Amino acid sequence: MAAATAMIIFAQEQDLNLCWQSGWGGSACRYQKNRKEQDEIWEEERDLGPSSKTRKVGGHSNMGRINLEVMQGNGHLRTNGEVNDKKREGTLSKPVKVQVQKGVFSPANCVGNGAAHSGQERTSCGSGCAHEAELEDPEMDAPSDDATLARMAGAVRVLLQGLGEDLGRDGLIRTPLRVAKALRFATKGYRESVRDAVGTALFALPGSSGGGTVVVRDVDTFSHCRACLLPFRCRCHIAYVPGAECVVGLSKLARLAEVFSRRLQTPQRLAQDIADGLASVLAARGVAVVVESWHIRNACEADCTLGASTSDWVPSVAAAASGCFCDPQEGLWDEFVAMLGLDPEVESRLEAPPEEGRILYQRERNGLLASPELCPFGRPGGPGEFLVDWGLEEADSDSSGEVFSEIAELDEERPCAMHQDPEMGARQHRRPASGTETLEGGDAREAALPQMVAAVETLLHAAEGGDDVGMTQDDVSMTAERYARWLLSATRGSQQMVDGVLTERWPDEPNGCSHAQSREQERVGMQERVGNGVSVGILRGQGNGLGGGATELVTEISVPLVSQCEHHLLPFLGKAHVGYVRGSNAGRLDRGQVERIVSLYSQRLQVQERLTKQIAEAIASSTHAEGVIVVVEASHMCMMSRGIEKVASSTATTEVLGSFKTDPKARAAFLRKLPRRH
Ligand SMILES: Nc1nc2c(ncn2[C@@H]2O[C@H](COP(=O)(O)OP(=O)(O)OP(=O)(O)O)[C@@H](O)[C@H]2O)c(=O)[nH]1
């Protein structure tokens, strides 16, 4: 089924209801409304989301038009007015009258539409509507969105097979299509332009040229890393000084940030793209952009360095400026930065105004560009890793906590250090050190790598729309390999058994993380003794001196985890909190062992509920504890970077086994130990 677009022209808009129903794999509906009020055209555009539902989008205005795009499915509209088929490019054609049926209008029942509609009428719609029709546009350019998505879904199937997954298992059946849609969404900025984003929202404002700075702050977006394809969080701050007596609609600055965020990016490129984009449509005296960003840590290191002392996200900041913001005499850069109210550490790194035509960026020590550690292909010699050389000088390896280490400037022609060295590709690949792949079946998975890389390349090209609109062939192949390796690495626990990870000795890492740290954490780990559910004290260390028959509550709090959502192949990351009631004859796990259990079940395609249950069951079987409780708190990228886009949302799941089920006091004692969220 093709995507379909309809345009409704209305004279008097009255609480318009849109109704659509999924054909296969859900449907998505995009709504764009232009209304004219007092000689100003107001535009409104939003994604109405997937699945079968009816949503009221109406309002009241005197005249206007609505574009409605129904993706991948049967769409039918309920509204008043006139329906026009619309070509993909937006050309109006073939006006179609619609007929009222119980207040419901369906394009399939158009009066006099004849050849105008190719939609197939159905006899029932299954959603309570009087009629159902497929809104197909026979003139839509090939490949249609459906064909693109189908191609992308095929590539995702290759990836899942490469990971050794059963494509028919529950949870994975719709994953290929979901991933395809998610990536299409993540790259929708390639199919959008600055002019589309700004539209007609340029307003003459006499006297504005001599005025002050306009700043739109805290525009939160998600982008996808050009190097590894994983999403990273951004907060954009955009400023300009008006020129030519003209200002731009404020929301359009946020839209610009969204357009460029929905491309494969690095923070500094994103800052520059937004600045250039704004400068291209607005005659401003100067433009300035600061992009704060947070990239997921290297999940390959999750089993050692993602310890409680480290943050889940690695921050960096990038900036771009032009015109008057680059003139230190005017002091506008300082004023802009001061208005952002940034963390002093970050602010101190933005002291100097960027020179005209150059990008100022700052990076974290061992950060996104200074070293590959932010990306999943990070630390040389890590499991299943290869060295990524970004073509920049090595960052100082001292990670003593200083956040930013360098300020670098690049020529405009070389906006991204990753792309500046034509020989980079040759230097970029280094095979994993021997012995770094320790998984059973690792060879088979490693052998699937070439097909997986090709599949990711297919995905990227299809997501772009087949045009060369921003990624060179080289970029794609490098990105594809990193992403394929990330997937392999992020699911490397899928073939391991819990017995294996509990008995295996964890090698101390060269940088001193992991085992030594775990032992220390275990030494000071708190145990709470409970008898019949009553807390009687807190002990430290291994020997608790409890007599026979006594029990103790052992807790391991904030065990970090990074897992991979099996629905969208996007990471979710957070912490597991583990408690178990240990009788005198039961075993006890040190923190390192708990961390390994958590890693084992995190490093596979998961849903959070199953992960929580598996951790609890593994703790129970390996300790013979009387009761086990596990709470997992995690943030899901699929909730943050796409779909509902709730950046601050997080999910908590609990699994309770044995005596914890019947002992509310023991549960309460455990829950009191959880870190407070606010
Ligand atoms: N219960 C549960 N759901 C999850 C987990 N990870 C992802 N999901 C959800 O899986 C669901 C998949 O729903 P679909 O409607 O098939 O996919 P979708 O169109 O991408 O859905 P949206 O996320 O709402 O855009 C979404 O609601 C996700 O939030 C998880 O760990 N546990």
Side-chain angles (χ1 to χ4, degrees):
M1 277 170 281
T5 308
M7 173 170 284
I8 304 158
I9 299 182
F10 53 94
Q12 182 76 48
E13 186 187 348
Q14 296 285 352
D15 288 345
L16 177 69
N17 287 315
L18 302 179
C19 175
W20 67 101
Q21 188 180 22
S22 116
W24 55 275
S27 63
C29 189
R30 190 154 167 266
Y31 158 76
Q32 185 184 33
K33 184 174 73 173
N34 301 311
R35 65 191 160 89
K36 193 173 179 192
E37 275 180 4
Q38 294 171 350
D39 293 321
E40 280 183 2
I41 301 283
W42 291 86
E43 289 186 335
E44 190 184 338
E45 189 174 337
R46 40 189 165 129
D47 285 322
L48 297 177
S51 79
S52 307
K53 55 187 89 162
T54 302
R55 201 170 287 180
K56 188 176 285 185
V57 296
H60 297 276
S61 62
N62 293 329
M63 60 174 292
R65 63 174 195 262
I66 290 174
N67 298 327
L68 176 70
E69 196 173 67
V70 181
M71 307 282 296
Q72 298 173 50
N74 315 312
H76 50 274
L77 318 177
R78 299 173 171 191
T79 183
N80 295 316
E82 195 173 59
V83 176
N84 290 274
D85 276 359
K86 176 175 163 284
K87 277 188 173 179
R88 216 172 170 200
E89 275 70 41
T91 316
L92 277 177
S93 63
K94 301 169 190 164
V96 178
K97 283 276 181 200
V98 295
Q99 187 180 44
V100 185
Q101 297 218 355
K102 298 179 189 168
V104 174
F105 286 78
S106 166
N109 294 314
C110 298
V111 176
N113 58 344
H117 260 290
S118 65
Q120 291 173 291
E121 192 175 347
R122 293 190 178 187
T123 50
S124 72
C125 77
S127 63
C129 295
H131 294 277
E132 180 178 12
E134 291 180 16
L135 292 179
E136 289 186 356
D137 185 345
E139 295 171 281
M140 198 162 64
D141 291 340
S144 70
D145 275 355
D146 281 357
T148 301
L149 287 170
R151 192 158 156 244
M152 294 173 74
V156 178
R157 274 185 213 103
V158 173
L159 289 180
L160 292 172
Q161 277 163 344
L163 298 178
E165 288 288 344
D166 170 8
L167 293 178
R169 83 162 163 85
D170 267 0
L172 286 189
I173 292 170
R174 294 193 55 230
T175 296
L177 188 61
R178 284 195 202 99
V179 175
K181 286 165 63 182
L183 192 59
R184 193 91 172 124
F185 179 77
T187 54
K188 73 186 172 83
Y190 287 116
R191 300 180 294 281
E192 295 170 342
S193 71
V194 170
R195 295 210 174 272
D196 290 342
V198 173
T200 56
L202 293 169
F203 308 112
L205 192 64
S208 58
S209 296
T213 312
V214 179
V215 185
V216 172
R217 296 176 286 202
D218 300 336
V219 177
D220 287 329
T221 63
F222 256 88
S223 191
H224 278 61
C225 178
R226 203 175 170 77
C228 70
L229 210 53
L230 291 176
F232 64 95
R233 292 166 52 192
C234 309
R235 180 161 296 161
C236 307
H237 314 284
I238 306 163
Y240 73 96
V241 176
E245 312 288 316
C246 182
V247 296
V248 62
L250 298 178
S251 68
K252 307 305 177 187
L253 301 183
R255 284 185 188 277
L256 273 184
E258 180 69 11
V259 166
F260 289 112
S261 294
R262 296 301 176 185
R263 299 180 181 188
L264 304 190
Q265 287 288 9
T266 61
Q268 79 279 5
R269 181 180 286 227
L270 177 58
Q272 190 67 41
D273 281 351
I274 296 170
D276 289 347
L278 182 56
S280 73
V281 288
L282 181 70
R285 285 190 58 231
V287 169
V289 176
V290 166
V291 172
E292 298 178 84
S293 59
W294 296 265
H295 194 296
I296 186 175
R297 240 169 231 287
N298 182 356
C300 304
E301 302 176 15
D303 51 0
C304 57
T305 55
L306 244 178
S309 62
T310 60
S311 146
D312 292 340
W313 301 87
V314 182
S316 68
V317 65
S322 68
C324 55
F325 284 99
C326 299
D327 180 357
Q329 304 301 321
E330 295 214 34
L332 289 167
W333 174 259
D334 295 342
E335 182 188 307
F336 169 46
V337 172
M339 279 194 279
L340 301 185
L342 298 170
D343 179 278
E345 174 71 16
V346 177
E347 188 177 297
S348 70
R349 306 298 165 163
L350 293 168
E351 274 171 2
E355 288 176 29
E356 175 96 71
R358 293 164 78 87
I359 299 168
L360 169 76
Y361 71 87
Q362 296 162 309
R363 57 201 181 193
E364 190 199 23
R365 185 182 297 273
N366 293 330
L368 186 60
L369 292 174
S371 92
E373 201 158 315
L374 275 171
C375 288
F377 304 94
R379 222 178 41 232
E385 307 282 309
F386 63 99
L387 175 66
V388 179
D389 180 343
W390 301 97
L392 290 173
E393 63 274 53
E394 277 298 308
D396 188 340
S397 61
D398 171 20
S399 56
S400 56
E402 184 179 339
V403 177
F404 298 99
S405 65
E406 287 184 58
I407 299 176
E409 293 177 1
L410 295 177
D411 293 342
E412 201 170 21
E413 287 72 37
R414 296 167 30 185
C416 174
M418 292 158 51
H419 307 112
Q420 70 189 36
D421 184 351
E423 293 183 13
M424 193 178 89
R427 295 194 285 117
Q428 223 164 8
H429 294 264
R430 193 182 71 180
R431 305 309 301 169
S434 61
T436 53
E437 177 63 90
T438 56
L439 301 177
E440 270 181 45
D443 285 349
R445 284 157 52 91
E446 186 74 11
L449 185 64
Q451 287 95 324
M452 292 176 69
V453 173
V456 182
E457 286 184 30
T458 301
L459 262 178
L460 288 173
H461 281 301
E464 264 191 322
D467 307 321
D468 179 15
V469 286
M471 292 185 277
T472 67
Q473 193 69 30
D474 272 348
D475 290 334
V476 173
S477 67
M478 296 310 306
T479 306
E481 178 160 353
R482 293 187 195 111
Y483 183 67
R485 284 189 177 276
W486 148 272
L487 281 179
L488 282 168
S489 182
T491 57
R492 66 190 187 274
S494 59
Q495 295 170 8
Q496 282 181 304
M497 305 296 290
V498 69
D499 289 351
V501 298
L502 288 180
T503 52
E504 138 196 332
R505 181 175 143 63
W506 238 14
D508 283 331
E509 297 291 332
N511 66 1
C513 71
S514 95
H515 207 54
Q517 187 183 44
S518 298
R519 280 199 298 264
E520 176 59 13
Q521 283 164 340
E522 184 245 326
R523 191 180 66 74
V524 299
M526 291 203 299
Q527 305 165 52
E528 185 165 346
R529 179 180 161 194
V530 290
N532 299 322
V534 179
S535 171
V536 295
I538 296 174
L539 303 175
R540 286 176 183 273
Q542 296 267 4
N544 58 30
L546 294 175
T551 58
E552 62 178 356
L553 171 62
V554 184
T555 57
E556 292 294 350
I557 303 299
S558 298
V559 178
L561 66 89
V562 177
S563 190
Q564 196 78 353
C565 155
E566 72 182 24
H567 292 155
H568 299 94
L569 299 191
L570 286 169
F572 62 95
L573 58 163
K575 295 182 167 44
H577 313 291
V578 172
Y580 53 96
V581 175
R582 175 179 173 263
S584 54
N585 296 323
R588 178 153 187 268
L589 300 170
D590 63 30
R591 183 168 175 99
Q593 288 171 313
V594 175
E595 286 178 347
R596 273 175 276 167
I597 288 174
V598 171
S599 280
L600 173 73
Y601 292 106
S602 301
Q603 290 166 355
R604 53 188 70 185
L605 299 186
Q606 274 290 16
V607 293
Q608 189 173 322
E609 295 90 331
R610 189 199 301 131
L611 172 64
T612 313
K613 188 171 168 48
Q614 287 176 338
I615 294 170
E617 287 172 352
I619 299 284
S621 69
S622 51
T623 59
H624 303 290
E626 292 171 13
V628 175
I629 184 166
V630 174
V631 172
V632 170
E633 298 180 288
S635 301
H636 287 244
M637 292 267 190
C638 69
M639 294 266 285
M640 301 160 77
S641 70
R642 53 157 295 286
I644 187 102
E645 292 186 81
K646 294 295 173 221
V647 174
S649 71
S650 65
T651 303
T653 45
T654 306
E655 185 68 26
V656 178
L657 302 176
S659 60
F660 270 111
K661 283 191 168 170
T662 52
D663 189 346
K665 285 187 177 168
R667 280 208 304 275
F670 170 78
L671 293 173
R672 275 198 300 275
K673 292 184 175 298
L674 302 193
R676 299 198 73 78
R677 295 180 57 237
H678 301 292

